[in-house]
Every structure is written in structure tokens, then in C-alpha cells.
Amino acid sequence: MSQGLTKEEVNRKLLHGLAVVLPAGIFYGPDLLGLTNLWVCTVMFALLGFSLLIEIVRFRNQAFLNWFMRWFGSMMRKSELRQLTGASYVLAGSAICSVISLYGDFMAASCFLCLTLFILGDAAAALVGKAFGRIRIGKKTVEGALGCFLLCALLAGFVFPYLPAFLEGWGGQLSLIQILGISAAVALLEFFPIRIGKVVLNDNLYVPAFVSLLALVMR
């Protein structure tokens, strides 16, 4: 294992990858569970609220913090000790996508695609970057961005067209331009995070929603 790629980072990204149940729940939840899209959206915000409650208790209660760190501390980054964890940002991004998905079948399919690509592409960028990254721009590596792009393109081109009901919701085949454009957007936005002054926005919060809306333009 590369010196830059630790066991803790691998475990973190494997756990991060399990978050694909969120976009799958947004897209398939209404049919599988017999719920309306609005109810699925409500569940997403309830999960976000529960995560934020845990964060608040973690910040304010030392005993709970000790328990939390014993179980999850090895997978946390130093910046998350005093800030929200990546899990809360993933849930926030998913909640935003669940709102967008209310605006018709295409937007639901778009959120399913873009949120899944970002979750897995972000994990690929981190793992590839730490294992093979040599060319750095800021805290990110070009190799990681390429890994993100390639995985996204492969998933969009060879996996999503065969998932149940996806193409029906999308309204037809994914074109090569859509596959490459959406994959490039995910990789570039993950590589170049948005800054407002000195504050760097967490990409989990805005990338899936932005790319989902971009897909509408590319439709």
C-alpha cells in the first residue's frame, strides 16, 4: 500500500461508498416502499437532522465524544474534530438532490445518476490520488481527478443504462456527450472546490445538485 494511502483512508472511502444507498433510495424508494417522492424527501431531511443532532451532541458532550471517537475516530480527518463530518455533508447533498428529484422523472433519474457518480468518483479520486498521485494542484492530484473521471464515465456508460427503470426516467439513451460532459463536470468540480473568500465549500454539499441541474441543460 502506498505511503500516502493508509488503511484508515481506505476504510473511510469504503464507508463513503456505502452512501450510494441514498441516491438509490431517492430513485427507487417511491416504488419499492410505496411512498410518494415527497415522503422520500422528508426521510432524507430526517436523516440529515439526526446526523446534525449527533454532531451537536459530539461537540457539547465529552462522554459522547469519547464514545464517538472510539468507534469512528480512526476514519475521521483532523479538520472534522471541530467541524461537521463528511457524512453530514453527504446527507445534506442528498437531501438537496431529493428536493430536485421532486420536479419530474428526468430530474429524479438525473439526481440518481449524478449523486451516485459523485459519491463513487470522489472516493476514487481520493484513493487513486493518495496511491499514485504525483502532480499536485493545491491539495488534489491530477491522477486522482483522472481516476474520478474514468470511473464516472465507465459507470455512466456501462452500468446505468442497464439499471431497472433508469433509462425510462431519463427519457432515452445516455448520449456520449452526456456521459463525458457529466463525468467531466463531476471530476472538475471535485478537483476545483468552490471558495467564498477564505472559506472552501464542502463539495458533497453542492456538486451532485449542480451536476444534476447541468444534466438538464445537456438533455
Side-chain angles (χ1 to χ4, degrees):
M1 187 173 291
S2 168
Q3 184 178 2
L5 183 58
T6 64
K7 178 181 178 181
E8 289 74 18
E9 185 67 21
V10 172
N11 290 338
R12 175 187 173 88
K13 290 307 176 183
L14 287 175
L15 183 62
H16 186 82
L18 293 177
V20 294
V21 299
L22 298 172
I26 292 172
F27 187 69
Y28 292 114
D31 288 336
L32 291 178
L33 302 177
L35 301 174
T36 64
N37 290 329
L38 183 59
W39 265 109
V40 172
C41 181
T42 302
V43 170
M44 288 293 165
F45 275 92
L47 291 173
L48 172 59
F50 179 71
S51 180
L52 292 176
L53 178 61
I54 291 177
E55 302 277 25
I56 292 171
V57 176
R58 176 170 70 91
F59 292 143
R60 297 187 176 185
N61 186 284
Q62 186 62 46
F64 182 81
L65 175 61
N66 293 338
W67 176 87
F68 188 90
M69 293 300 294
R70 186 164 60 250
W71 284 96
F72 305 106
S74 63
M75 292 183 287
M76 292 176 63
R77 295 192 174 126
K78 290 182 179 180
S79 61
E80 293 175 326
L81 295 177
R82 298 179 180 274
Q83 300 175 15
L84 296 180
T85 61
S88 290
Y89 282 111
V90 170
L91 284 168
S94 300
I96 293 171
C97 284
S98 73
V99 174
I100 297 174
S101 71
L102 297 176
Y103 292 89
D105 291 342
F106 175 80
M107 292 314 304
S110 179
C111 287
F112 176 39
L113 171 67
C114 297
L115 183 55
T116 303
L117 292 187
F118 175 73
I119 289 172
L120 296 179
D122 180 61
L127 295 176
V128 172
K130 289 183 179 297
F132 306 107
R134 296 294 182 270
I135 306 172
R136 289 189 170 275
I137 299 179
K139 295 182 178 180
K140 303 294 180 75
T141 68
V142 172
E143 293 86 351
L146 289 174
C148 175
F149 171 76
L150 288 174
L151 179 62
C152 289
L154 289 172
L155 290 173
F158 298 103
V159 176
F160 272 83
Y162 301 98
L163 294 179
F166 173 75
L167 290 181
E168 181 181 347
W170 186 261
Q173 290 289 329
L174 272 163
S175 69
L176 182 60
I177 292 177
Q178 289 173 327
I179 292 170
L180 296 179
I182 290 171
S183 300
V186 171
L188 287 172
L189 287 170
E190 193 279 334
F191 191 60
F192 296 108
I194 293 177
R195 296 175 179 270
I196 300 178
K198 295 183 178 180
V199 178
V200 179
L201 297 182
N202 189 287
D203 51 11
N204 291 290
L205 188 62
Y206 63 86
V207 173
F210 182 85
V211 181
S212 295
L213 295 174
L214 177 63
L216 181 62
V217 178
M218 300 176 64
R219 187 176 183 183

